[in-house]
């Protein structure tokens, strides 16, 4: 996580629920909530924490089309399976199913790993290949955490690979106390109160109001 994100990150009740869910089991996790509610910040914090503990971690923003096009390669590189540029150049990832299956099989042998796919809505309607790859990743048994603004779309991507094992976490609106933690101390009390009211539990709106 970047230093500025680290400094402004707030440990919300939803974040604590997410950490607990990742720790206690390997079932896929769907983190859903409105835009600006803090999903990406939570996922980046989770990725940072697991990396600091020595685990293999991959974080992919699915709105990044270049990352989506080479989803398996991106994950493998972040998880240390492609350790340097020279080795990367020696590994050719074709678009064939057999090539992707080989990488999926290799990922399945990673003992402890975490794959985070941010904004799965990006592929839900338009990218059948990415959806197929996503479903294969879920089947590896690695911890997979996915975020979505629209749970219905996300559930369509999970279709056929998980049933009752899917853990769903809804990102709650921030409490007034949590919003207060991102309001600078120098802002006078009346203005701080207005910011909390305007934000209505959404940290992005609060930051925009702060300016």
């Amino acid at each position: 996580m970047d230093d500025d994100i680290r400094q402004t990150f707030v440990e919300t009740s939803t974040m604590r629920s997410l950490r607990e869910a990742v720790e206690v089991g390997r079932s896929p996790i769907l983190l859903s909530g409105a835009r600006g509610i803090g999903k990406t910040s939570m996922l980046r914090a989770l990725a940072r924490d697991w990396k600091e503990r020595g685990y293999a971690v991959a974080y992919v923003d699915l709105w990044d089309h270049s990352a989506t096009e080479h989803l398996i390669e991106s994950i493998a590189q972040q998880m240390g399976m492609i350790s340097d540029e020279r080795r990367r150049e020696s590994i050719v990832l074709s678009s064939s199913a057999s090539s992707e299956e080989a990488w999926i099989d290799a990922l399945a042998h990673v003992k402890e790993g975490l794959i985070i796919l941010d904004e799965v809505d990006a592929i839900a309607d338009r990218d059948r290949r990415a959806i197929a790859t996503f479903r294969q990743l879920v089947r590896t048994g690695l911890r997979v955490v996915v975020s979505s603004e629209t749970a219905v779309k996300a559930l369509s991507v999970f279709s056929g690979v998980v049933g009752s094992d899917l853990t769903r976490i809804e990102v709650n609106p921030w409490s007034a106390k949590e919003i207060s933690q991102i309001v600078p101390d120098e802002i006078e009390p009346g203005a701080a109160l207005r910011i909390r009211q305007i934000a209505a539990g959404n940290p992005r709106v609060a930051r925009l109001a702060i300016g």
Side-chain angles (χ1 to χ4, degrees), residues 49-120:
D49 292 348
W50 274 64
K51 284 180 182 178
E52 290 178 349
R53 291 166 57 188
Y55 291 104
V57 177
Y59 169 91
V60 180
D61 177 357
L62 292 176
W63 281 114
D64 181 348
H65 290 202
S66 62
T68 305
E69 184 179 356
H70 303 289
L71 183 57
I72 295 298
E73 181 182 16
S74 177
I75 289 171
Q77 184 177 16
Q78 291 186 58
M79 297 188 83
M81 299 171 68
I82 306 176
S83 59
D84 53 43
E85 190 64 28
R86 182 177 180 181
R87 185 179 177 194
R88 185 180 182 186
E89 289 173 356
S90 70
I91 298 175
V92 178
L93 291 176
S94 71
S95 59
S96 68
S98 59
S99 177
E100 285 205 349
E101 287 172 2
W103 279 108
I104 292 291
D105 183 64
L107 285 167
H109 287 82
V110 176
K111 291 183 178 180
E112 289 290 344
L114 175 65
I115 298 173
I116 298 174
L117 303 175
D118 200 4
E119 302 292 359
V120 74

Side-chain angles (χ1 to χ4, degrees), residues 15-37:
M15 184 66 200
R16 291 189 289 273
S17 297
L18 175 61
R19 290 189 197 279
E20 181 180 354
V22 174
E23 290 286 350
V24 301
R26 288 179 175 269
S27 62
I29 297 170
L30 170 59
L31 183 71
S32 59
R35 181 176 299 181
I37 203 69

